Amino acid sequence: MIIAGSIFVLCALLLIGLSVPLAFGGVLIFLASVTTTDVTGFLPSGHWKMNSVVILAIPLFILAGAVMEKGRIAAPLVALAQLFVGHIRGGLPAAAVVASGVFGAISGSANATLTCIGGIMMPHLRKSNYPEGLSAALIVNASPLGLLIPPSASQILYAWVAQQSVLACFLATVIPGLILIVLLSLTNQVQLRKYRNLNLPPAPERFLPEFKARTRSAMPALVMPLIILGGIYGGVMTPTEAAGFALIYAIPVAIYVYRGLTWRSFLTTMREGGVTVGVVMAMIFMVLIVSRFLIFEDIPGIAQDLVYSVSENPVVILLMVNLVMILIGMLMDDISGLLLATPLLLPIVQGVGMDPVHFSAVLGVNLGMANVTPPTAPLLYLGARVTNTPVSRMLLPTFIFILFAWLPTLLLTTFIPEIALWLPEVLLGR
Amino acid sequence: ADLRLKFAGTLPVEHQGTKTMEQIAKTIEDADVGLKVTVFPANQLGSGEELFEDTIRGNIDFSMGFIYAHKDPAFEIASMPYLAGDWDEMSAVLRNPDSAYNQVMGEHLDAIGLHLLQNNPEGFANVLSTKEPKNWDTLDPKDMNIRVWSSNVVKDTMKELGFNTTTIAWADIFPALQSGIVDGAECCTKQATYTIFAKSGVGSYYIDYNAFMEISTFYASNKTWAKLNDEQRAVVEKAFAEASDSFFQWNRDNDAAFEQKLVESGYTVLTPSPEKAAAMRDAVRAKIWPQMADIVGQDVLDRIKADVE
Amino acid sequence: MSDLSDHLPRPLAVPLRGLRAVMHAIIVLNGCLMALTFFCVVILRYVFHADLFAYEEWLMAAAFWGFFMAAAVATHDRAHINADILGLLITRPLWRWRRALLVEALELAILSYLSWLGWEMVMEEIADYPMWQSTIALHIPFLVPRAAIALGFVLMWLFSALHLWVLLKEGPAAPEAQA
Ligand code: NA
Ligand code: NA
């Protein structure tokens, strides 16, 4: 009754068009009216839940992403990727996907990946006559690679909520990310087959000098993953500290090396990035409160009973869990989806013997997808602005990418545990 | 209708502490005095700090957790170094309802709206490290950076023992040790060291300074307590007391077993000789205890000192 | 996003601009503070073998101010994330306006509730003085971050009310109806 009511209130408010944090606020009012909870505990519990330095990684990665975007840190990376495949059919879009993956090793957020790569790639793709809707959709669908390739704000959040090793969770999504890169490029290639009049840029005449020049100009950007990931895995800093370091490093690189920013526009960037931080943190705050007070009503227990009443077959249970996550993902963005899904679903998957680190990968793929599945699809809407393409033209290709790239990646990650666990085992010996 | 009570804890599902909670819930329900108890283990209702605040509010009825000093600095007595040096002293200070420690705790908890049920010393919270500290059994510099939590008392004590300290949140200890940001951590009982760190291949030394205890407390909301009748209160008190006794006995019995498991998983357990341990204890007490008067109050400190000595 | 104060009469617009300038300053300072703190923590540890003891206590208190002022500015800028499906389906300006009115009114109602909760939380903290909750090492009162949360909701309420007012005043032509 309380669950059904909460889900109904949440869905209704989201579909009417309320913002995500206030839709959750509506659920709080509902909970206050149907339970005996002392409501003065709502906001203090949100304060407690968010009162952790670990969570500061999220705003720091958002701010670092904003500085990188305005600082044009991604441009030399894209130029480097183009050098290899830009001149072949479908090569430019593939370069966009690969560049998203490489940029993922610098940035901890999907938004930053989308704005940085999308802003640079889209004009190139247009110039070469690649179809607009398909290209924009591809860039949007590739941007969650920012979360699948470490570092990743959402994996830090998961590790924090589920009390798992961040280092292991970072590594768990790497191979799913690589699979996604391949499948997105292939799916795009197939969708391109009917387009004839592509205007491909010529291959560079002298590859080696060009390669050297572009590598040199990409160096300051390529050093970033070394600092961030090297710093984290080399024992110099925690992932949260690395997020702070990423921002500090990006500032001089953006201002003095790539000259995309001045000190004045840096302040504007910090303000605009800061507002995005407010959007995300208000959402985290409200979702954490609601999920806590839903747990008060023993929702995880009820969900568990519900799942087991349908089937006790692990394969069926994992499929159901994925289905629930896809539904959550349609209604929410990655952060709120993660905060709601983890306490609800982790006990269930652990019940069928899934390692929590493996689940971090399954969740990671699901949440990446959540960001591009309507109706709540922040990356799709952001992508529309970044690429200057109407959402409606991205819907069909996005649906095809979900069907032939995202879902296969999700199923592989769910049912072949080694995809997630092999790297943590090799590198961390867990 | 039966009164439905929420009993929240922070320990993992398979932990003996959680089993103790379940045993208590069962004993209370079996007494058939109109009480039903639902157990929420493993931080399901939040961290220890959240349980503390929401139990005062009455949203949670019983909790098992650490007592944090946010509401009243006197609760820092839980971090008083060398309050007890072995399991017998632990029992005398924490398992005896008439001890100064329990009296002070009970009074101060009552003042903020909580009813003290039982204090559970689970063992000593000691240093685990990835390498052997230099001069590990004296006060001389250890040439080692270890994690402490944000408590002046704990930081000063570890510095007195010769460590460099770094403040790291509980959630960051594991990656910090795994990647080598700190060489060790002041944090854990043998059991926790084994289940959290040794099993994952992190850390290789465990040093028995026995300066701090891992104490979890059973407490009830005063709002809930006021709702119970005398018969129900008696049943609840008895259920908690008996379960705490057997939990203490279990911890005591298993301390050696977990030490054995630590050794089997490749750990070296370092235990200073009684003379050296006493020398470290006396030096820390002489330095740190007087400082604690500023935090917990001179009267509280005097009561506890009188009791311990 | 358009500036709300452009649509308001002068006596409202001027203080609103001042308020936003202060909020923007808090947001920028918070971002810089977070980054610099972690940078210093790492440098101190490796270069000076020192520890910024209990830095999380003041950093978190500051962070809550940054986050909640930013969340309120996001309400002003209409930057919060929502499911835009009706926005895609409804094309007639009158109906877009009606939907915007409904959303704004519901959000205002929910924010009224949250603001009240914020008020209650702050009053509860103050009532405990001098035995009020504070951080363990540095004794920073919980009132500091909790006041930021409460003020954040109150400001969100304020901006939301102003949006609703502009929406009613300017009818289907209001910029709010187009978003
Ligand atoms: Na990333
Ligand atoms: Na979605």
Side-chain angles (χ1 to χ4, degrees):
Chain A
M1 167 52 210
I2 291 171
I3 310 188
S6 300
I7 295 175
F8 175 79
V9 171
L10 183 65
C11 294
L13 294 179
L14 284 172
L15 288 176
I16 291 170
L18 267 71
S19 60
V20 175
L22 293 183
F24 277 93
V27 178
L28 271 191
I29 296 180
F30 173 75
L31 286 176
S33 54
V34 297
T35 66
T36 55
T37 311
D38 178 356
V39 298
T40 59
F42 283 162
L43 298 190
S45 86
H47 173 224
W48 276 124
K49 288 258 179 250
M50 257 180 38
N51 195 29
S52 161
V53 282
V54 176
I55 220 167
L56 294 185
I58 295 165
L60 285 167
F61 277 129
I62 292 173
L63 292 172
V67 170
M68 288 176 206
E69 181 206 345
K70 290 288 179 339
R72 304 200 207 110
I73 286 181
L77 291 177
V78 170
L80 191 61
Q82 276 175 347
L83 178 66
F84 290 93
V85 287
H87 49 281
I88 57 174
R89 188 184 166 80
L92 211 50
V97 177
V98 173
S100 297
V102 174
F103 192 71
I106 295 177
S107 119
S109 92
N111 286 33
T113 310
L114 175 55
T115 47
C116 292
I117 302 295
I120 298 162
M121 279 315 282
M122 200 57 198
H124 286 293
L125 289 163
R126 276 216 179 85
K127 210 161 68 188
S128 304
N129 234 358
Y130 282 101
E132 185 189 52
L134 176 59
S135 301
L138 179 69
I139 288 173
V140 165
N141 277 275
S143 62
L145 286 167
L147 295 178
L148 295 177
I149 307 295
S152 155
S154 59
Q155 291 295 327
I156 291 177
L157 197 60
Y158 171 82
W160 177 67
V161 177
Q163 299 186 295
Q164 295 300 314
S165 155
V166 189
L167 302 186
C169 294
F170 271 3
L171 293 173
T173 48
V174 171
I175 296 180
L178 298 178
I179 295 176
L180 187 68
I181 290 179
V182 173
L183 291 179
L184 281 176
S185 303
L186 287 178
T187 313
N188 185 63
Q189 202 70 1
V190 173
Q191 291 187 76
L192 271 176
R193 72 195 183 284
K194 51 182 186 276
Y195 292 94
R196 292 278 163 246
N197 54 342
L198 295 180
N199 173 21
L200 299 174
E205 282 175 17
R206 297 190 310 152
F207 180 84
L208 213 58
E210 192 66 15
F211 175 72
K212 277 185 187 156
R214 292 191 192 188
T215 307
R216 193 174 314 121
S217 100
M219 236 349 141
L222 285 172
V223 169
M224 276 196 86
L226 287 181
I227 297 179
I228 297 170
L229 294 176
I232 294 172
Y233 287 96
V236 181
M237 44 195 160
T238 66
T240 313
E241 290 161 359
F245 233 85
L247 177 52
I248 293 284
Y249 178 83
I251 294 168
V253 171
I255 294 178
Y256 297 115
V257 180
Y258 296 125
R259 294 168 189 272
L261 269 184
T262 61
W263 282 105
R264 177 176 281 274
S265 59
F266 164 71
L267 290 183
T268 317
T269 304
M270 288 295 280
R271 189 190 76 207
E272 287 167 359
V275 174
T276 309
V277 167
V279 167
V280 172
M281 297 319 270
M283 208 156 60
I284 293 180
F285 184 81
M286 294 306 296
V287 178
L288 282 173
I289 297 174
V290 169
S291 71
R292 172 164 194 250
F293 284 89
L294 284 175
I295 293 168
F296 261 71
E297 305 304 324
D298 201 20
I299 303 285
I302 296 169
Q304 211 157 352
D305 293 346
L306 209 66
V307 165
Y308 280 100
S309 71
V310 178
S311 169
E312 293 192 7
N313 179 341
V315 175
V316 179
I317 289 178
L318 289 180
L319 284 174
M320 280 198 292
V321 164
N322 273 311
L323 191 67
V324 171
M325 279 192 280
I326 291 169
L327 290 175
I328 290 179
M330 288 173 73
L331 283 169
M332 275 166 240
D333 69 296
D334 58 337
I335 300 271
S336 24
L338 184 153
L339 294 174
L340 209 61
T342 305
L344 202 67
L345 301 178
L346 185 59
I348 297 176
V349 298
Q350 278 187 300
V352 296
M354 187 184 263
D355 189 304
V357 172
H358 178 195
F359 186 60
S360 81
V362 176
L363 198 59
V365 175
N366 257 304
L367 296 171
M369 199 161 77
N371 266 329
V372 297
T373 44
T376 306
L379 288 179
L380 209 55
Y381 305 132
L382 178 64
R385 263 185 283 152
V386 170
T387 63
N388 207 4
T389 309
V391 170
S392 53
R393 299 183 65 175
M394 291 194 280
L395 284 179
L396 180 64
T398 294
F399 180 70
I400 294 173
F401 284 127
I402 288 173
L403 210 57
F404 294 103
W406 281 105
L407 287 177
T409 308
L410 180 59
L411 290 175
L412 288 172
T413 309
T414 305
F415 292 106
I416 308 178
E418 289 74 19
I419 288 180
L421 297 176
W422 183 72
L423 266 186
E425 264 159 28
V426 169
L427 293 177
L428 299 173
R430 44 167 278 123
Chain B
D2 287 344
L3 199 54
R4 296 205 145 269
L5 302 174
K6 295 189 180 76
F7 186 10
T10 56
L11 297 166
V13 176
E14 64 277 12
H15 194 283
Q16 189 65 23
T18 301
K19 290 179 189 157
T20 304
M21 289 172 68
E22 267 147 15
Q23 183 201 327
I24 291 167
K26 185 170 183 305
T27 313
I28 294 174
E29 290 192 355
D30 287 352
D32 200 20
V33 287
L35 297 177
K36 291 274 176 231
V37 183
T38 313
V39 173
F40 294 88
N43 282 322
Q44 279 178 9
L45 298 190
S47 63
E49 291 101 324
E50 286 179 81
L51 300 188
F52 199 57
E53 190 167 347
D54 240 3
T55 311
I56 294 172
R57 234 176 268 286
N59 279 338
I60 298 169
D61 301 286
F62 304 134
S63 284
M64 173 181 197
F66 188 71
I67 300 290
Y68 293 87
H70 298 115
K71 292 256 181 202
D72 183 346
F75 295 133
E76 277 275 82
I77 57 173
S79 302
M80 204 161 156
Y82 292 109
L83 199 52
D86 58 35
W87 286 86
D88 286 329
E89 286 177 24
M90 228 188 247
S91 175
V93 175
L94 287 142
R95 294 295 310 132
N96 169 14
D98 299 322
S99 71
Y101 184 95
N102 276 323
Q103 293 292 320
V104 169
M105 267 288 171
E107 291 159 18
H108 283 256
L109 282 173
D110 189 56
I112 59 168
L114 294 172
H115 177 76
L116 173 65
L117 289 162
Q118 298 289 327
N119 273 313
N120 301 297
E122 294 178 24
F124 289 101
N126 278 321
V127 175
L128 68 107
S129 64
T130 51
K131 57 182 191 191
E132 185 178 320
K134 281 185 194 157
N135 312 313
W136 64 271
D137 59 355
T138 67
L139 294 169
D140 295 323
K142 305 282 176 291
D143 193 21
M144 178 178 274
N145 189 11
I146 62 164
R147 170 266 177 181
V148 292
W149 65 93
S150 285
S151 157
N152 290 307
V153 179
V154 176
K155 179 194 68 170
D156 293 343
T157 301
M158 296 327 286
K159 289 207 156 149
E160 184 64 19
L161 286 173
F163 289 95
N164 290 330
T165 59
T166 295
T167 339
I168 288 180
W170 169 256
D172 264 345
I173 300 181
F174 192 91
L177 272 173
Q178 198 176 35
S179 62
I181 288 158
V182 286
D183 309 313
E186 160 58 44
C187 65
C188 301
T189 61
K190 284 176 184 145
Q191 186 186 358
T193 306
Y194 175 71
T195 49
I196 301 171
F197 298 97
K199 270 173 138 180
S200 307
V202 171
S204 40
Y205 288 87
Y206 185 89
I207 307 127
D208 281 322
Y209 290 116
N210 292 3
F212 298 102
M213 284 174 278
E214 180 74 33
I215 304 168
S216 57
T217 303
F218 288 134
Y219 53 90
S221 173
N222 274 355
K223 290 186 181 166
T224 306
W225 204 245
K227 273 188 265 177
L228 303 185
N229 61 37
D230 286 342
E231 186 197 14
Q232 290 170 326
R233 285 183 188 178
V235 165
V236 169
E237 292 271 21
K238 187 155 172 284
F240 275 98
E242 285 175 1
S244 279
D245 282 338
S246 51
F247 184 40
F248 181 69
Q249 197 55 47
W250 187 91
N251 280 313
R252 190 175 184 154
D253 295 345
N254 279 276
D255 198 51
F258 279 107
E259 176 164 341
Q260 187 59 37
K261 284 187 176 180
L262 277 176
V263 171
E264 279 162 15
S265 59
Y267 261 66
T268 307
V269 178
L270 301 172
T271 309
S273 67
E275 300 74 39
K276 287 190 163 172
M280 286 191 276
R281 180 195 67 200
D282 294 342
V284 169
R285 280 185 177 175
K287 177 86 185 287
I288 306 291
W289 279 15
Q291 292 176 13
M292 290 198 69
D294 292 340
I295 303 171
V296 302
Q298 191 66 51
D299 56 323
V300 166
L301 185 66
D302 289 343
R303 279 169 76 184
I304 298 215
K305 265 165 88 174
D307 200 30
V308 171
E309 284 158 2
Chain C
M1 182 54 219
S2 76
D3 191 335
L4 193 49
S5 48
D6 292 345
H7 300 267
L8 296 172
R10 231 184 106 73
L12 271 177
V14 172
L16 183 64
R17 287 206 180 97
L19 176 65
R20 280 177 64 225
V22 173
M23 294 167 80
H24 286 158
I26 294 175
I27 294 168
V28 172
L29 285 175
N30 174 51
C32 297
L33 181 70
M34 285 191 295
L36 281 174
T37 305
F38 286 114
F39 183 76
C40 292
V41 165
V42 175
I43 298 295
L44 277 174
R45 187 162 62 227
Y46 284 95
V47 183
F48 300 100
H49 300 285
D51 177 32
L52 207 54
F53 177 67
Y55 70 89
E56 75 273 20
E57 294 190 355
W58 50 259
L59 184 60
M60 287 314 299
F64 273 95
W65 277 92
F67 297 159
F68 278 85
M69 290 306 104
V73 171
T75 299
H76 172 279
D77 296 355
R78 302 173 56 77
H80 285 288
I81 294 174
N82 54 12
D84 214 9
I85 200 75
L86 284 180
L88 290 175
L89 296 177
I90 303 175
T91 48
R92 285 180 52 193
L94 181 64
W95 278 98
R96 291 183 81 112
W97 178 68
R98 285 179 181 160
R99 191 213 29 159
L101 270 185
L102 176 65
V103 168
E104 211 65 71
L106 284 171
E107 292 201 341
L108 191 65
I110 292 166
L111 283 168
S112 305
Y113 179 70
L114 294 173
S115 301
W116 171 73
L117 286 181
W119 171 260
E120 290 281 306
M121 174 168 70
V122 165
M123 285 303 126
E124 198 180 71
E125 289 303 318
I126 293 174
D128 286 342
Y129 185 84
M131 284 288 285
W132 60 9
Q133 295 196 84
S134 55
T135 63
I136 290 171
L138 305 177
H139 303 288
I140 299 168
F142 277 29
L143 181 62
V144 177
R146 289 185 175 185
I149 297 170
L151 184 61
F153 283 123
V154 170
L155 289 170
M156 280 187 235
W157 180 90
L158 174 72
F159 292 139
S160 201
L162 289 174
H163 275 299
L164 183 60
W165 188 54
V166 171
L167 206 51
L168 285 168
K169 193 178 64 155
E170 301 190 0
E176 279 79 359
Q178 306 311 315

